[in-house]
Amino acid sequence: MRRCPLCSSDKTGPFYQDRKRTIHRCKVCMLLFADASSYLPPDAELSKYRAANNKHKPMQQLISSLVTQVEQLNPNPLLGLNFGRLVNSSTIEALRQRGHHLLQYDPFFAADHSLLKQQYDFISCYKVFEHFRLPSKEWQLLCSILKPGGWIAINTQLITELNGFAKWHHKNNLTHVSFYQRATFQYLAQHAGFRLLFASNDLILVQKPPGSGITRDPSSLISS
Ligand SMILES: [Zn+2]
């Protein structure tokens, strides 16, 4: 038994094992998570990130479509944070021309902690959540640095078929340590009092309720 790194439940059990590691499943928040004994050492993790092909085009599309959504509700200049991975400067410049400002935080290559002490109209996380060893801590951070009414767009591959896990290539990357189901994001949104606007395939969209009051009215869950 391992304590779940997302909901802290001890209702977990081994779900999958191969030569390299054991993956556990939480029965409360439905997270699948790698055993901590198989985490890559810091140097090996860093060199994998250095070698990673940063996918600027899909990251730019995620950010741009998120901004288009938020613009429709908020006519003011927006302040956004690209969290966990860096996008190219042309994306930032394109947003500047639309009147918005995008800052970037990356724990390995741009770890400016002062950026985590202010609040944002939107946050984008492109292929970041699967790398979280402590998803509870990271989620609480993201919730705290989002303005009321703000949006978070998350790109991570959702597990739709537990039976297919053994053949799921996404799990073979040892820097991927947390795997989410749709129900995991329902759990996260519900516990933060956020609205889960969308969760399908690899895109998850959540909104912090506007104003100080936190609503948990299920009818407020919009799926558009
Ligand atoms: Zn859990």
Side-chain angles (χ1 to χ4, degrees), residues 5 8 10 23 37-38 43 57 76 88 90 96-97 106 119 143 147 152 167 169 181 192 203 206 209 212 223:
S8 297
D10 57 10
I23 305 289
S37 65
S38 63
D43 285 358
K57 188 81 180 171
N76 302 311
N88 55 19
S90 62
R96 202 193 311 274
Q97 287 177 9
D106 181 315
Q119 286 191 313
C143 292
K147 290 182 190 173
I152 306 178
K167 292 183 179 168
H169 68 88
Q181 305 186 59
L203 177 65
V206 295
S212 55
S223 57

Side-chain angles (χ1 to χ4, degrees), residues 4 7 26 29:
C4 174
C7 74
C26 175
C29 72

Side-chain angles (χ1 to χ4, degrees), residues 17-23 34 38 171 173-174 176 179:
Q17 181 148 28
D18 61 21
R19 284 182 296 124
K20 294 198 170 148
R21 58 183 179 171
T22 300
I23 305 289
S38 63
K171 69 159 187 339
N173 182 332
L174 295 182
H176 295 170
F179 307 102

Side-chain angles (χ1 to χ4, degrees), residues 4-9 12 26-31:
C4 174
L6 197 157
C7 74
S8 297
S9 168
T12 69
C26 175
K27 296 187 178 98
V28 175
C29 72
M30 306 299 171
L31 182 79

Side-chain angles (χ1 to χ4, degrees), residues 168-214:
W168 197 41
H169 68 88
H170 190 64
K171 69 159 187 339
N172 296 338
N173 182 332
L174 295 182
T175 66
H176 295 170
V177 294
S178 290
F179 307 102
Y180 306 78
Q181 305 186 59
R182 190 177 196 281
T184 316
F185 282 100
Q186 287 169 334
Y187 175 93
L188 283 173
Q190 188 186 1
H191 280 256
F194 282 18
R195 294 172 184 169
L196 182 63
L197 301 170
F198 190 82
S200 181
N201 300 327
D202 57 3
L203 177 65
I204 299 95
L205 204 52
V206 295
Q207 187 188 19
K208 192 172 190 170
S212 55
I214 288 179

